[in-house]
Amino acid sequence: MNKTNVNHPDTLSAAITGSGGSGVVTAGQMLLKAVAAAGLFGLMTRSSGPQIRGGESAAMLRLGVKPVNNLDDKFDILLAFDWLNVTRFVDEIPLQPGSLIIRDPDAGEVPPELASDDIQVLDAPLKSLAKTIDGGRPNMIGLGILAKLLGLPEAALRQVAAEHLEKKGEKAVEATQACISLGHTQEWSELPISPLEPPHTPPVRWNISGNEASCMGAVRGGVRFVAAYPITPASEILEWLAPNLEKLGGSLLQAEDELASVNMIIGSSFGGVPSLTATSGPGLSLMMEGLGLAVTSETPLVVSNVMRGGPSTGIPTKSEQSDLNIALYGFHGDAPHLVLAATNIGDCAFTTQWAVYLSEVLQTVAIVLSDQSQGQARSIIEPPAEPKEAYQRLLAKSPEEENHYQRYALTEDCLSPMSIPGTEGCIYTADGLEHNERGTPSSMTEDHLLQLDKRRNKIDGFDYGEAWADLQGEGENCIITWGSSSGAAFEAAQRLSQAGVPTRALALRLLAPLQKQKQQNTLQGVSNAIVVEQNHGAQLYHYLNANQLLPPGTRSMAQPGPLPIRPGDVMAMMTQEADND
Amino acid sequence: MNKTNVNHPDTLSAAITGSGGSGVVTAGQMLLKAVAAAGLFGLMTRSSGPQIRGGESAAMLRLGVKPVNNLDDKFDILLAFDWLNVTRFVDEIPLQPGSLIIRDPDAGEVPPELASDDIQVLDAPLKSLAKTIDGGRPNMIGLGILAKLLGLPEAALRQVAAEHLEKKGEKAVEATQACISLGHTQEWSELPISPLEPPHTPPVRWNISGNEASCMGAVRGGVRFVAAYPITPASEILEWLAPNLEKLGGSLLQAEDELASVNMIIGSSFGGVPSLTATSGPGLSLMMEGLGLAVTSETPLVVSNVMRGGPSTGIPTKSEQSDLNIALYGFHGDAPHLVLAATNIGDCAFTTQWAVYLSEVLQTVAIVLSDQSQGQARSIIEPPAEPKEAYQRLLAKSPEEENHYQRYALTEDCLSPMSIPGTEGCIYTADGLEHNERGTPSSMTEDHLLQLDKRRNKIDGFDYGEAWADLQGEGENCIITWGSSSGAAFEAAQRLSQAGVPTRALALRLLAPLQKQKQQNTLQGVSNAIVVEQNHGAQLYHYLNANQLLPPGTRSMAQPGPLPIRPGDVMAMMTQEADND
Amino acid sequence: MTETQTQPALKAKDYKSDIKPVWCPGSGHFAVLSALSKALAHLALKREDVAMVSGIGCSSRLPAYTEVYGFHGVHGRALAVAGGLKAARPDLTVIAAGGDGDGFSIGGNHFLHACRRNMDITYIVMDNEVYGMTKGQASPTTSPDWSASKLTPHGPGVPSFNPAAIALASGATFIARGFSGDPNKLTQMIVEGIQHKGFSFIHVFSPCTTFRPEQKGWKKQVHEYAEEVTANPVKTAQGLQADDGMGTGLIYRTELPPWQPAYDAICEPSALEKEFQV
Amino acid sequence: MTETQTQPALKAKDYKSDIKPVWCPGSGHFAVLSALSKALAHLALKREDVAMVSGIGCSSRLPAYTEVYGFHGVHGRALAVAGGLKAARPDLTVIAAGGDGDGFSIGGNHFLHACRRNMDITYIVMDNEVYGMTKGQASPTTSPDWSASKLTPHGPGVPSFNPAAIALASGATFIARGFSGDPNKLTQMIVEGIQHKGFSFIHVFSPCTTFRPEQKGWKKQVHEYAEEVTANPVKTAQGLQADDGMGTGLIYRTELPPWQPAYDAICEPSALEKEFQV
Ligand SMILES: Cc1ncc(C[n+]2csc(CCOP(=O)(O)OP(=O)(O)O)c2C)c(N)n1
Ligand SMILES: Cc1ncc(C[n+]2csc(CCOP(=O)(O)OP(=O)(O)O)c2C)c(N)n1
Ligand code: SF4
Ligand code: SF4
Ligand SMILES: [Mg+2]
Ligand SMILES: [Mg+2]
C-alpha cells in the first residue's frame, strides 16, 4: 500500500471533527501537547460552525520533525466522532487517495462527500470502547488511536492527560489515561502512514499561538500600556496582556470603543510609555482618524491588527489577508507610517517587537498585520528570535540655558528629540494641525511642505537592516508573498526546487516603507514571478505594481479566505504557463 | 508699455488684500457679481489668516470672456487696502513684471516682499476719498477703481451695489454707489492692462460655488435625505441643502457625529430614499466602517468629500487633493465601490448627480471628491450639464406567488432587485456579515467568493459611457490629472499646443472603477506623460501605476497644497527633459 | 408607533423567520424574540411595515429571526441606522435592538442622542452584563467586581452603568425594564413601547447562560418595580435610586412631540436653479 | 490632583504661553484661559508636571496658550487622550478642555464613560451653545428654537442637553458650573476641581461673541447656584431640576476611589516566557 505521506516524509496531517460537545478541540489540544512532549513540531488550527457556543467543530493538525508553518495540501487522517454537519468542513479537510478515515461504526456511514474508493475507512468503536471505562469518553479513545497511528508514544499522551486534566481531579485523569491507553493499544494491519521519527535530542521549543507570540513581542519591545476594545480574533492578545502587563508594572485599559482605545494610547505614548492596541478590521477602520493624529503629532504607537474575513463585519471567525489596503492607504491626507506583517506564528513575536522598536525610534505609527489563521492557531515552534538592535525613542533633555524647545525641529535624519511631560524646560503642545517646528499651527505652504517631507523622510531614510523580508531558495522563478501565506509559499518553492523547477520565495515583513533597492536586488534574475496572497483584490500585487517593484509579466494569485492557501495551489500557479496578454 | 495680459488676452487676474474689517471679501464678491452682470465669466477664491473671525484676508479673482476654471500663473493687479500681515499672502499672489499694485499712500510703502522695479505702483487715496462721501468706505472706492481698470462698466457695479446692499437700506446703497462712481471716474495714464471685451450677447450663466453646485447635482440626482455633521470646508453643502431639501419634500438631519451620519443615511437609503452625506477628511476617516457596511449590504449612498489639507486635522481652511488614497483603499476587507471627482466648479453638479445615479443603480457607495478650492470658490459658469441617462435603483416587486425573496441573488449583471420596506412578500434582513443569496450570514468559502465576485463584477461590468473622463487636445505629450488640478492641466495643454508642443490633457472623473480599456485607447500615441495632482504622496500616479495604466516613463508632478497648481508649473514640468533613471 | 394599516390574521409565529438562531441553548435572547413576535402579533402590524435594526452581538442577531424587514448593521450603530430610516420613512414602525455592549459601550453616544432626539423608535436592549458574542468580557453594566474575564482580571472596577438613569437624564420619554424570564410581561411592555409616540427604551435582563451562568439566579432577584411611575423626571430619578436596580415594569412615561421631519414638496429641483442664475 | 512637587515662584502669566490666540475679540474663551492660569499659579504646580489635553474647536485651542505640556488632538477625543495619559502617568496633573460640540456631541460617549471611570482628571467644557470654529451651527446645548444656523433653519428642535444632569447620572464625582464673565469664581472652581481626587467636571458658560452675540446677555442671567450641594445624587438631581440651568457654583461633590492602574513590576518579560516553554 502507498504511504500517503511519502512525498513529505517529514510531516503528517490529521483532522478531528465532531458535533458540539464531542470534545474535538480538547482532543486536538492534547494531541498537540503530546506532539511537543514527543520532541516534534506541530501546528493546529480550528474551525467551527455558526453557533456561538457548542456547535460542530474541527481541529486540523500538521506535525513535523522540523518546524511546521502551514497546513499541507491534503490530510492523511480524518478522525470523525460523528457526521453531524460534517459537510461544513469538507472544503477545509481535503483528503487524497490513501487517506485514512477513522469512524465509529455506531455513528453511521461516511457521508458521500467524503467517501471514495481511494480512501481507506477504519472502524473504531469509540463509544462502546469508552463505555468500558468508568468516566471514559469517546474522544479520548480516539485520541489514543490517533496517537498510535501518528507514532506518538503512549507516555507522552499520559503525561499530557495528567497536566491537562489536573484541575478536574485524579479520577478524571485516570479515566482519560485509561481511554488513551485503550486507544493506543489498538492494533492495525498495515496502514498508509509512516510514523514520524522524533529527533533524539529534541531542541527547545515553545507551544504558543500567534496572538500569544504577538504579546511576547510587545512586552519584549517595551510595551507597558495597552488600551483596547474586544474583537474577534484579536481578543486573546488582550486577555494575555491584561494580567501579564501588571507583572511588568504596566497596565491594560478596556476602553468604551476603538475611538477611545486608539486615542488613549496616543495619550499614554505622549506620556512616554510605549503603547499598543490590538484589534481587527472593523476596529481598525474606527481607529484611522486617531492613527492619522499619531502620525501627524509624531506620537509612536503600535496597532496589532489580526485580520479576519472582510469587508464590513464579514466573517469574524475566519482568516483573510484583506486589510493590507487600509493599513497602507487608509488615512486621509499624506500620512507616511510603518506597516509590518509576521511571516509565521513565531514571527508574530519578532515582528511585533521590531514594530515597537521602529515606531519608538521613528516616532510614528506601526501597524502589524497578523490574521486569524496565525493568531488563533497554536504551534510548537523554536523560541522566537529577537531583533538585533533595540532602538529607542530619542528623548529631549532639559536644556542648560533658557531656549525654546522645538518639538518638530528639522534635523538631518528628520527625527526630533521628543520631550516627555515632566521634563523641565521642554514644554510644548503636540498638534494634529499642520504646524511649524515649534508645534504652533501653521497653514503656510512652506511649513506644510517641510513637515510633510520630515514625516516621510524620517521613515524612508532609516536603515532597516536585513529583517525587511525573508528569502528562501534561489532560481529564476519567484513567489512573492506576505504574512500567513508565507508558509505555503516557502514550502511550494522548496518542493518546486526539489522537483527541478528552481524557485525562490520572498516574504515581505516590512510592507511600508518598501525597501525598493533591496527588493530589486533580491529579485535580480527572476524571469517568472507570482504574487501570492489571501484576498480578493490582489492588494499586495497592486501595491508592488504601484511602486514598480515587480518583474515584467508577474502574475497575481489572489485567493480570498477563509480556506488557507496550500502549497500545492501555489506550485500549480507557479508552473502554469504565464499568460501573456 | 507691455500689457501684462497680452499672453492671455482673454483673461485678467486681480487680487484684493487687507486686514480684518477692511472689506476685502465684500469687494471681491461684488466685483464677481459685476463681472457676471457685464456678461463675462470669472472665478474668485479667498484666503485668510489663522484668526477665527476678522483677521487679514485676500480675494483672488480671474475674469475671462470664456469660462475660467483656474487661477492664472500671475496676477495683473493687486489692490491693497493696507499692508498689515500681507506677507502671509505673498505666495498666493505672485506678481510679474508689469503687474500693477494699487495702494493707498496713507497706508504706507509697498512692503519689500512685493515691491520690485518691474512692478508699477499706482497711488489711490482710498481713505481720504472715502471721507468725502457720507457713509463712504475705502473698499468701495477701491472696487470702483478696480472695475474701471478691468473694463467693467460703472452701471454693472451700481446695479450690484443696489442688490448687494438692499437689506442695509437706501442710504447705504447710495453711499456705496457714490464711492464706486468716484473710484470709477479716476483717470489714469496708459496702464499695463488691456480690458476685456465682453461678448455682445452674453450666454446664460450661473454664479455658484462648487459646494452649491454639488448640492444642485445631489438634488437633481434625486437625493432627498441627508444626515451630516458640520466640518470645514463641507459645511456650506449642508447649509444649502437643509432649507432646500425641505422644499423638495426631503430633509436634513444634523447628527451627533460622523459615525451617526453615515449610519443614518444607510438607514434612510435602506428605506428607499436616495441619500447623501457631506464631509471632509477627518469625517471621512470616521465613516469608513459605515461605508464598508453599505458596500457589503449593497445599500446605495453618496459621500461628498470636500478635501482640505491633511493629514489629521491638517489645514482645515486650505485645499489639497490628498484624500484619494483613503477614498480608494480606506476599507478593511475587499470592498469595491465608486470614486468620482469633479473636474471644475460647475462639474461638481454633473459629477455629483452622476454619482447619485450610479450609486443607486449599482447599489453601492459613491465617494465624490471635491476640495476646498472648488467647494468654496465662486465662479461665473455656464449652467452645468446633466448626465445623459438617469439611472435608478432596481426595485423588487411583490411576487405574485409565495416564493422566497433573495436580496443578494446572483444575476447575470450581478445586480439584484432591492426590496424596500413596505413591499409585501419581499421581506429580508440586510447584513454586513458575509451572507448567502438570501442574506443569511454565511462563513462558507463558496458564498464568500460568490458575493465578493458579485460586488466587484456589478461595478466593473457596468457601461459608464463617455463621462469617465474629460479629454482635451491632442499630441504625443499628455498631462493626466483629476479634480481641481484639471483646470491648470487643460490650460497648460492648450498653451503648450499653441506654443508648438502638441499636448493633450486627460482629467479622470471616474476614479474607481478605472476604465482601463478606454484609458488605454485615450493614451495611445503618448510618448511623454506626466501625472499632475495636489498632494505629497503622488497618490494618483501610484494608483495608475498599480493598475499599469501609465505609458512607460510617465513622471509624477505631485505638489501638496495649499498653493494651487498653476498652468505655468505644469508646462514647465511637461517640457522638462524626462529624467530616465 | 405609526398608525399604519394593520392586518389581523397573523399569529406570533408568523413574525418569526425560518432561520435557526445561532444562540446557545438557554440564552435569554430566545425569550425576547418570542415576546417581540407576540407583541407584533398583538399589535397586528403588517409585517412589511415593520423594520428591525440592530448592531453586532448575540442579541443583535435578532432581526434575521423575525419576519419583518431587518438591518443587521455594524457594532454600536443600530440607533443611527434606525434614526435615519425613521426620518426618511416615518410611515414605518422602527424597532432597534441589541446588547449592553452594543448599546451602552460603543453605542453610548447614539443612545444619549437618540433619547434626546425622541424620534418615534422603540429600542430594546438585551442586557446580560457581558459581551456574549466575543466570549465573555465585561460590559458597562457588569458589576465592578466581576473578575471572570481575563481582560479585567480584578473586575472592571468601575461602577456599573445605569441605563434607566442615563436614559432619563438624556430625555427619553418612555423607560421600562423587563426580564426575559417573564415573557408575558415583556410582551406587554414591548406593545406599550411600540404604541408610545416617541423614543421608548426597553431594558431587558436577558441572561447569558454561557458566560454568566450565575445569571440563572436573576429569576429570584427580579421583582415588580415598586416605585411610583410618573412623568416627572426628578421623582423618577428618586424612584430609580430607591429601587435595587432589579425592579421590572414601566418606570417612566411622558408625552413630548417626537422629532420627525416630514415636509411636503413644494417645488422641483429646477426651481432651485433660479438662485444661481445671473 | 496628584501630589506632585510644587514650585512657589510662578505667577499666573507664567502659565500662559507667548502664542497669540486665534480667538475673536471678546470671546469668552480668553477669560477661561486667564482663570486657568491663575488656578495653576494658585496651586503652584510645576509647569512640566501639568498636561492640558483637548480636541478641536475654538475652545480646544487652549493648550497651546498655556505654558504646560499640551496635546491638541482630534475632534471629540480629548477625554480619551487624557485618560490614556493619566493611566500611564499617574504622577501628572491632567486637565482636559474643549467645547460643547467637542464634548457633548461627537465626544458624548467618552464623556459618559469618563464620568463613570472617575479617573483623577479635570474636564473643563467651554460651553457657548454653538460650534464656533465651524462658523455657527447648533450644538447639543443649543436651545431647540435657535434658528440662526442655516443647517437647522427651524432650530435644532430637540431639548437641549443638560451636561450636569448627564454627568451626575453617569457617575461624575465633582460637578460645578462657572461663567467666563466671573473669572475669580471660575479660578476658585478650577482650583477645587484640580484638587478633587477623581473626575471633576467644570461646565463653563463661555460666550461666542461672533456667532451668538446675544450671549452678552448671560451676564444678567447667571446667578449663584442656590440649591443644596450634597453628595447625594438624587437630591442633586432635584436641585438641578429646580435651578433654571444658569446657576453657577459647585453643584455636586462626592468621594469615590478614582480608577487608576498602578502596578509594581515584579518580573521581566523573560520570566513570562516560561508559560510557553515545552
Ligand atoms: C467595531 C467593532 N468592535 C468590536 C467588535 C466585536 N464585538 C462583536 S459583538 C461585541 C460585543 C457584544 O456584546 P453585547 O452587545 O452585549 O451583545 P451580546 O453578545 O452580549 O448579546 C463586540 C465587542 C465588532 N464587531 N466591531
Ligand atoms: C471628525 C471631525 N468632524 C468635524 C470637525 C469640524 N469641527 C471642528 S471644531 C467643531 C465644533 C466645535 O465646536 P465646540 O466644540 O463647541 O467648540 P467652539 O468652537 O464652540 O469653542 C467641528 C464640528 C472636525 N474637525 N473633525
Ligand atoms: S454567548 Fe451568551 S448571549 Fe450569546 S447566545 Fe450564548 S448564552 Fe446567549
Ligand atoms: S467664533 Fe466664537 S467661540 Fe470662536 S473664538 Fe470667536 S467668539 Fe470665540
Ligand atoms: Mg451583552
Ligand atoms: Mg461651542
Side-chain angles (χ1 to χ4, degrees), chain D residues 29 59 99-102 126-133 139 206 208:
Chain D
H29 303 344
S59 36
D100 42 318
D102 193 73
M126 296 165 243
D127 188 353
N128 50 19
E129 301 180 359
V130 78
Y131 293 177
M133 184 63 113
S139 90
S206 180
C208 173

Side-chain angles (χ1 to χ4, degrees), chain B residues 52, chain D residues 23-24 27 29 58 128 132 208-211:
Chain B
I52 309 292
Chain D
W23 295 324
C24 312
S27 175
H29 303 344
C58 296
N128 50 19
C208 173
T209 40
T210 297
F211 296 106

Side-chain angles (χ1 to χ4, degrees), chain B residues 205-207 220 240 247-250 256-257 263-264 271 419-424 426-431 438, chain C residues 18 48 68-72 77 80-81 84-85 88-89 109-110 117 263 265-267 272-273 275-278:
Chain B
R205 282 147 313 128
W206 287 14
N207 179 340
R220 279 177 168 181
W240 192 92
K247 297 182 195 156
L248 304 171
E256 53 270 30
D257 58 23
N263 280 285
M264 282 171 169
S419 162
I420 302 304
T423 313
E424 218 183 311
C426 295
I427 281 173
Y428 77 104
T429 292
D431 212 313
R438 191 175 154 194
Chain C
D18 57 1
E48 58 271 19
V68 299
Y69 279 89
F71 199 99
H72 186 208
R77 315 293 165 209
V81 174
L85 175 58
R89 289 289 306 275
N109 203 29
H110 311 305
R117 206 173 274 127
Y263 302 102
I266 55 167
C267 71
L272 304 174
E273 297 172 3
E275 172 184 350
F276 303 118
Q277 280 155 12
V278 166

Side-chain angles (χ1 to χ4, degrees), chain B residues 66-289:
Chain B
K66 282 187 254 164
V68 173
N69 290 321
N70 54 287
L71 292 177
D72 203 346
D73 300 339
K74 307 282 174 179
F75 283 81
D76 302 301
I77 306 179
L78 165 61
L79 165 63
F81 297 144
D82 56 57
W83 300 115
L84 283 171
N85 293 322
V86 78
T87 48
R88 150 168 299 274
F89 303 118
V90 166
D91 290 348
E92 296 189 64
I93 308 172
L95 301 177
Q96 64 188 335
S99 293
L100 198 64
I101 292 182
I102 306 167
R103 64 142 195 173
D104 188 334
D106 296 338
E109 286 308 309
V110 176
E113 291 88 348
L114 286 164
S116 101
D117 285 354
D118 303 330
I119 286 172
Q120 195 180 334
V121 178
L122 282 188
D123 284 350
L126 306 175
K127 269 210 184 117
S128 46
L129 286 175
K131 278 196 190 126
T132 65
I133 291 165
D134 189 25
R137 295 200 59 206
N139 65 332
M140 292 297 111
I141 305 276
L143 179 61
I145 291 175
L146 210 49
K148 171 70 173 284
L149 287 169
L150 295 169
L152 299 175
E154 191 185 335
L157 269 294
R158 293 181 67 95
Q159 178 197 329
V160 168
E163 285 166 21
H164 204 89
L165 297 162
E166 197 187 342
K167 282 192 194 134
K168 299 217 168 163
E170 218 167 293
K171 267 193 93 169
V173 171
E174 277 166 23
T176 301
Q177 286 178 332
C179 286
I180 289 169
S181 298
L182 187 56
H184 209 272
T185 49
Q186 297 290 309
E187 284 300 335
W188 311 96
S189 53
E190 204 204 347
L191 286 173
I193 300 286
S194 312
L196 301 178
E197 278 284 337
H200 268 288
T201 38
V204 183
R205 282 147 313 128
W206 287 14
N207 179 340
I208 197 165
S209 72
N211 279 345
E212 288 166 345
S214 297
C215 295
M216 271 312 304
V219 298
R220 279 177 168 181
V223 167
R224 292 298 178 270
F225 183 75
V226 171
Y229 188 72
I231 189 166
T232 307
S235 299
E236 296 88 2
I237 293 183
L238 314 176
E239 287 167 350
W240 192 92
L241 282 173
N244 284 298
L245 276 173
E246 290 182 11
K247 297 182 195 156
L248 304 171
S251 61
L252 180 143
L253 195 168
Q254 184 181 321
E256 53 270 30
D257 58 23
E258 288 89 349
L259 303 160
S261 56
V262 70
N263 280 285
M264 282 171 169
I265 61 169
I266 288 173
S268 57
S269 178
F270 169 74
V273 178
S275 301
L276 171 145
T277 188
T279 190
S280 188
L284 184 61
S285 287
L286 290 175
M287 290 180 186
M288 294 313 298
E289 195 205 16

Side-chain angles (χ1 to χ4, degrees), chain C residues 12-30:
Chain C
K13 71 167 176 37
D14 297 319
Y15 290 91
K16 283 195 192 177
S17 79
D18 57 1
I19 296 170
K20 181 173 170 264
V22 296
W23 296 324
C24 313
S27 176
H29 303 344
F30 282 105

Side-chain angles (χ1 to χ4, degrees), chain A residues 205-207 220 240 247-250 256-257 263-264 266 271 419-424 426-431 438, chain D residues 18 48 63 68-72 77 80-81 84-85 88-89 109-110 117 263 265-267 272-273 275-276 278:
Chain A
R205 284 148 313 132
W206 287 13
N207 178 338
R220 279 177 167 182
W240 192 92
K247 299 181 192 155
L248 305 171
E256 55 269 30
D257 58 24
N263 281 283
M264 282 173 170
I266 289 173
S419 164
I420 303 303
T423 313
E424 218 183 310
C426 294
I427 281 172
Y428 78 102
T429 292
D431 212 312
R438 194 177 152 191
Chain D
D18 59 359
E48 57 273 17
V68 298
Y69 279 88
F71 199 100
H72 185 207
R77 315 295 164 208
V81 174
L85 176 57
R89 289 290 306 276
N109 203 30
H110 311 305
R117 206 174 274 126
Y263 303 102
I266 55 165
C267 71
L272 303 175
E273 297 172 4
E275 171 183 350
F276 303 118
V278 166

